[in-house]
Amino acid sequence: MVKSLFILSIISSSSLLAVAQDSAVVKSTQFTDSVIKYNTQPIKKLTPQQIKSRVRLVAAANIIGYGGTMIGLNAAWYANYPRSSFHFFNDNNEWLQVDKVGHMLSAYDESRGSMELWRWTGIDRKKQIWYGGLSGMAYQTVIEILDGFSAEWGFSWGDMSANVLGSAALISQELAWNDQRIKLKFSFHKNSYAPAMDLEQRANDIYGKSEWERWLKDYNAQTYWASASIKAFFPKANLPEWLSVAIGYGAEGMFGATENYATNKDGQVTFDRRDIKRYRQWYLAPDIDFSRFKTKKKGLKFLFTVLSAFKFPAPSLEFSNGSFKVNAITF
């Protein structure tokens, strides 16, 4: 999951720049009594030569950008660990599956960013969807293969399944609605751990000390959301288009992959806090879909698209440990 977010932060930030460019097509929305219909209207006619040129540019950008990213990841990550023959690894019971949801989000956002690049080329709509939609799964598959040759990890079918679901979430919505009515989102809050109980030191060891490392690694502080546009599903509702409702998933109390217990190479216990309960958290909260704000300014359009990948902080209803509670604000 950490490697997935590393790839996501680089690829998506560059891919979504296409949103700020002069797009070859734009989606216009027509509200009827029962459904919302999305039509693709040309705003700039591209010649076959222009389309071909843009396709070559995007293809080259994908190859060079992703290739360079993987070389950097290999140098920064895999080179520090011993290699092995290709093997599989079952990690489905780790981190209360928060990492699996993270894989799904990474594939979804990478696919979304790539699709916007292909939309810019002006190629056929279904090609935009399939080329872009499969990109996220392809990016993540390469990571899984590299994991398969690392002695520290292995090819995980659980991770791979989550990657497929992430790409499928984008493709299915585009084919059905020509829109992402349900967006997968991410939120993070900085956790403070008790130094006197050795929890801060344990968190530093497994999650890192810097804000960047904690953002990538601290599963206790990450929440993943499925945020649905209310107006898209209920066009008669007298509600703003940007208003959404989100269901979130997170977990707490994790100081190890499967248990809060660790030993060193000699078998000596270095951490034992099995008394701390590991538990899941479910949330229901309002949200804002910034991508549904209308603007002709390219800078704002790009900013709104980036912001639409993150859950807006808001009050929430939480279900955990068998009971409900209301949170004044959830990040």
Side-chain angles (χ1 to χ4, degrees), residues 46-309:
L46 296 178
T47 66
Q49 186 57 40
Q50 286 177 314
I51 293 175
K52 187 184 240 183
S53 177
R54 291 190 178 194
V55 166
R56 287 174 177 170
L57 181 62
V58 169
N62 272 279
I63 294 171
I64 296 172
Y66 186 66
T69 301
M70 293 310 300
I71 291 172
L73 180 64
N74 181 68
W77 197 283
Y78 293 102
N80 298 321
Y81 297 95
R83 305 299 174 102
S84 70
S85 59
F86 186 83
H87 63 284
F88 296 92
F89 177 64
N90 185 352
D91 60 351
N92 293 336
N93 64 336
E94 294 185 356
W95 306 112
L96 296 179
Q97 294 77 52
V98 173
D99 61 320
K100 297 296 177 284
V101 185
H103 272 271
M104 184 176 176
L105 172 85
S106 296
Y108 173 84
D109 276 346
E110 288 162 5
S111 295
R112 187 178 168 205
S114 181
M115 184 182 68
E116 292 301 337
L117 276 175
W118 289 109
R119 194 193 306 279
W120 175 74
T121 66
I123 61 174
D124 176 75
R125 171 178 165 266
K126 286 192 176 181
K127 289 182 179 178
Q128 297 167 15
I129 296 170
W130 284 105
Y131 290 174
L134 292 175
S135 295
M137 185 179 68
Y139 296 153
Q140 297 298 102
T141 298
V142 175
I143 296 177
E144 293 306 322
I145 292 173
L146 289 175
D147 280 352
F149 286 102
S150 173
E152 288 289 317
W153 299 283
F155 185 99
S156 167
W157 282 113
D159 289 350
M160 193 64 210
S161 298
N163 298 335
V164 172
L165 286 175
S167 288
L170 179 119
I171 294 171
S172 59
Q173 291 189 80
E174 286 295 324
L175 291 176
W177 303 318
N178 198 26
D179 182 37
Q180 293 297 299
R181 294 187 185 182
I182 303 172
K183 290 184 173 67
L184 303 186
K185 298 189 176 186
F186 175 80
S187 67
F188 172 83
H189 63 277
K190 177 67 181 294
N191 260 0
S192 295
Y193 299 101
M197 303 171 69
D198 294 330
L199 298 184
E200 183 65 33
Q201 182 58 51
R202 177 62 177 169
N204 289 339
D205 291 341
I206 60 177
Y207 298 136
K209 297 180 180 180
S210 68
E211 291 282 346
W212 173 247
E213 287 178 300
R214 290 289 178 92
W215 182 81
L216 284 174
K217 301 178 182 180
D218 193 349
Y219 293 120
N220 295 313
Q222 299 173 357
T223 308
Y224 295 90
W225 304 82
S227 181
S229 169
I230 301 175
K231 190 79 170 180
F233 287 100
F234 303 99
K236 287 185 177 181
N238 187 24
L239 295 170
E241 288 186 49
W242 50 261
L243 183 61
S244 299
V245 60
I247 297 174
Y249 176 68
E252 275 282 3
M254 296 182 292
F255 295 92
T258 58
E259 60 180 345
N260 299 333
Y261 179 82
T263 59
N264 60 22
K265 293 181 179 179
D266 298 324
Q268 297 173 323
V269 176
T270 58
F271 181 81
D272 188 355
R273 289 308 308 272
R274 285 174 287 186
D275 58 302
I276 297 176
K277 184 177 182 180
R278 301 159 65 95
Y279 63 93
R280 306 173 192 275
Q281 299 163 304
W282 298 92
Y283 300 94
L284 180 66
D287 189 27
I288 294 176
D289 185 349
F290 286 92
S291 68
R292 295 187 184 271
F293 287 122
K294 302 297 187 291
T295 179
K296 293 183 179 179
K297 296 183 178 180
K298 295 177 181 178
L300 279 178
K301 189 175 183 182
F302 171 65
L303 176 62
F304 289 157
T305 301
V306 172
L307 288 176
S308 70

